[in-house]
Amino acid sequence: MSNATPSRLGLVNATGTGYNDLFLKIYSGEVLASFSRENVMLGMTNVRTISNSKSATFPVTGQTTSGYHTAGNEILGDSIKHNEKVIHVDDMLLASSFVSEIDELKNYFDIRKIYANEMGQSLARTIDNNLLQLVMLGSATSTPNVTGGKLGSKIIDADCKTNATSMIASLFEGLQKLDENDVPSTDRYIVVSPDIYYQLANNDKLLNRDFSSLNGDFGKGTVVSVGGVPVIKSNTCVTAFADNSSAVAGANNTYNVDASNHVAVLFHKSAIGTVKLKDLVVETTYDPRRIGSLITSRMAIGSGILRPEACVSIKTS
């Protein structure tokens, strides 16, 4: 009696040892889709892609002044202050899973999507968490990047977590702070947890047509903007708005902050810089010693504060 020859669904032309060659393309696409769906913060920062380096330098420029010229006086030119911000690439951010060959043959199409979603979401949560914490760090820093530059703002509102009207007032105060810091009115963002988002979506001032036009839908539970700034819902706020004061091994930039009692952040795209050494890739390696495939999703990335004056946080105490 001879052994059966199984049809390897992931094998190209039934030859070779790359049992996942066909699976990987689909799996990789699902990891990327899951990452893109869950990640809300990365596209709201200044992203620079580099190669063969451990860090990138972002220029920081101060402001100049103007005045009236006295006839006959020599024009010497005012001095504009400059500085730079070095952002390091963190250690490789990694999510992985191992699929045994026998399980792959029996049940791969059922577990593939689950694994892909989990890996993509895990990477997205870590990056969003770091970026949210950077906004909170920027709002609290006492040192501007340029001498004489402006600082971020913290707004204390004891009722903002349970009172949507109070939260709206604090959001407008935050927008005022950005205006006063000469932060551009475009590319601003408000990020809140689902709890706060749905409280805002249940507020008459934001949805009532007597106050706002086409600014959301009560039935769909959506709210578009406050003060013309889009409101972004992120479940990562639940973990970011907590005591994350312990440094994490492998992070070569400072993200750790005690963010307890924080409820919302407002910021401009120029507030945070992100350096990307390696974009998200998915790779599978067959391990004959364990008779299965190791699947890794990874990227090399790092972020830092560029303009603290473009950061505002709202907290209850």
Side-chain angles (χ1 to χ4, degrees):
M1 180 179 296
S2 60
N3 295 329
T5 303
S7 297
R8 306 311 302 271
L9 301 181
L11 208 59
V12 177
N13 295 323
T15 59
T17 59
Y19 295 108
N20 283 294
D21 285 348
L22 294 181
F23 291 135
L24 180 59
K25 296 179 180 66
I26 302 175
Y27 190 96
S28 176
E30 290 189 349
V31 173
L32 290 168
S34 176
F35 177 85
S36 299
R37 184 173 60 252
E38 296 297 324
N39 178 261
V40 300
M41 291 290 295
L42 190 57
M44 296 186 280
T45 69
N46 279 326
V47 180
R48 177 182 297 176
T49 300
I50 63 172
S51 59
N52 303 321
S53 183
K54 65 179 183 179
S55 63
T57 301
F58 289 75
V60 181
T61 306
Q63 295 179 325
T64 187
T65 59
S66 61
Y68 294 103
H69 176 252
T70 300
N73 283 6
E74 184 179 5
I75 301 173
L76 301 176
D78 290 330
S79 175
I80 300 177
K81 295 183 177 66
H82 289 263
N83 203 341
E84 63 181 14
K85 177 69 176 182
V86 178
I87 298 178
H88 302 278
V89 177
D90 296 324
D91 290 356
M92 190 72 73
L93 184 61
L94 174 71
S96 62
S97 63
F98 182 84
V99 182
S100 67
E101 183 178 327
I102 188 65
D103 288 345
E104 178 186 344
L105 290 170
K106 291 179 178 179
N107 202 33
Y108 183 82
F109 286 106
D110 288 333
I111 63 172
R112 169 176 47 83
K113 187 172 184 178
I114 297 173
Y115 284 9
N117 284 339
E118 288 297 327
M119 293 170 69
Q121 290 175 15
S122 177
L123 294 172
R125 283 194 298 267
T126 299
I127 291 174
D128 274 6
N129 202 79
N130 289 344
L131 294 174
L132 284 167
Q133 290 175 198
L134 281 173
V135 176
M136 289 179 280
L137 283 168
S139 72
T141 184
S142 58
T143 306
N145 280 340
V146 177
T147 302
K150 298 178 180 179
L151 297 173
S153 305
K154 274 189 176 294
I155 297 172
I156 308 298
D157 182 347
D159 298 326
C160 64
K161 195 169 185 179
T162 56
N163 186 331
T165 300
S166 184
M167 169 59 82
I168 293 170
S170 292
L171 290 174
F172 274 106
E173 182 182 349
L175 297 176
Q176 176 187 335
K177 296 290 187 183
L178 294 180
D179 290 341
E180 292 170 348
N181 284 347
D182 298 316
V183 175
S185 58
T186 58
D187 291 326
R188 292 180 179 182
Y189 304 97
I190 297 170
V191 182
V192 298
S193 66
D195 175 24
I196 300 301
Y197 182 88
Y198 290 119
Q199 287 187 51
L200 295 174
N202 194 31
N203 185 272
D204 288 343
K205 282 191 175 182
L206 293 182
L207 302 184
N208 193 316
R209 293 186 179 181
D210 291 336
F211 295 95
S212 304
S213 177
L214 302 177
N215 193 41
D217 189 304
F218 178 83
K220 294 180 180 179
T222 59
V223 59
V224 178
S225 64
V226 173
V229 177
V231 179
I232 311 298
K233 175 182 62 177
S234 173
N235 198 42
T236 307
C237 291
V238 176
T239 54
F241 296 164
D243 185 356
N244 297 302
S245 53
S246 298
V248 177
N252 299 321
N253 301 281
T254 300
Y255 305 114
N256 52 300
V257 58
D258 184 355
S260 303
N261 303 320
H262 281 74
V263 182
V265 293
L266 302 83
F267 62 98
H268 184 263
K269 188 173 184 177
S270 62
I272 306 298
T274 297
V275 56
K276 186 186 295 182
L277 179 62
K278 188 178 187 65
D279 210 341
L280 177 59
V281 296
V282 181
E283 185 176 58
T284 184
T285 304
Y286 183 75
D287 186 348
R289 297 175 303 169
R290 297 175 176 82
I291 312 180
S293 297
L294 176 65
I295 306 170
T296 60
S297 301
R298 62 190 188 277
M299 59 194 309
I301 194 172
S303 300
I305 303 165
L306 295 182
R307 295 185 63 196
E309 69 270 23
C311 300
V312 178
S313 62
I314 300 175
K315 59 186 302 187
T316 57
S317 63

